[in-house]
Amino acid sequence: MSITKKPVIFCDFDGTITNSDNIVAIMQHFQPEGYEPIMQRIINGHTSIREGVGAMFALMPSQQKDEIISYVLGQAGIREGFARFLDYVREQQIEFFVTSGGIDFFIDPLLQPFDIPQDHIFCNEADFSGDIIQITWPHPCQEPCTNDCGMCKTTVIRQYPAEQYERILIGDSLTDFEGAKMADLVYSRSHLTLKCQELGVPHVPFETFDHIIEDLKQKQEQGVL
Ligand code: MG
Ligand code: ZN
């Protein structure tokens, strides 16, 4: 690691900033008819995230919008230490981005208390103007990614070249793994930790954002960040 590089953080949302996955929670709560085989195909890797998530929300009527939003806001918990972590990165002038495969209608209200600039939140969007919910994909894969991610995390990360930036990734799931391979520093939990262990990708496991603050402080004191 080099002290001349500028640190930049890419942080997942579902299961990372929040305690659990909101798309899974929405589907399991509302159980739109036919979502289960689609979810299974996403988990098995037989359908892309973009196709699968789009297909599951297309099973839900747009008029359920308010009900879905109030359900998510009522049950989603923000991981411990997140507000302190944001204070810390601001104080250290570290650039912070949310890079999420989730959707604006629940991410924006959940992040609203934290004052993160809109152009620092990368996520998918939902269109409720038709009969059914249509997910739109403003940040699709660009070369060389061909995973049909929906919101392509590696495409966002690539805009911050490794020669100039110390790229720090925070995440919890398999969808964070490609980014983890590119990053200089990975904070992982859950499935991402297991995948990194399995394939020998260096990572620092965490449970709360306070752990990450402690580790970043240590690295700064050691002069490696
Ligand atoms: Mg996640
Ligand atoms: Zn992609």
Side-chain angles (χ1 to χ4, degrees), residues 13-71:
F13 185 76
D14 286 84
T16 300
I17 295 174
T18 57
N19 291 324
S20 57
D21 190 287
N22 296 293
I23 293 178
V24 172
I26 290 168
M27 291 303 150
Q28 287 177 345
H29 179 77
F30 290 94
Q31 308 224 329
E33 202 179 334
Y35 89 93
E36 276 172 308
I38 303 172
M39 179 110 62
Q40 204 50 56
R41 286 205 299 278
I42 299 175
I43 293 166
N44 297 338
H46 294 156
T47 188
S48 72
I49 304 266
R50 188 191 58 81
E51 208 173 289
V53 169
M56 287 197 300
F57 278 99
L59 300 170
M60 305 182 84
S62 291
Q63 59 185 24
Q64 268 188 317
K65 177 184 180 182
D66 292 342
E67 208 186 330
I68 298 170
I69 293 174
S70 57
Y71 169 71

Side-chain angles (χ1 to χ4, degrees), residues 12 49 101 149 153-154 169 172-180 192:
D12 173 52
I49 304 266
C149 300
K153 298 185 183 196
T154 56
L169 181 135
D172 75 307
S173 82
L174 297 186
T175 58
D176 298 300
F177 186 64
E178 288 305 313
L192 182 61

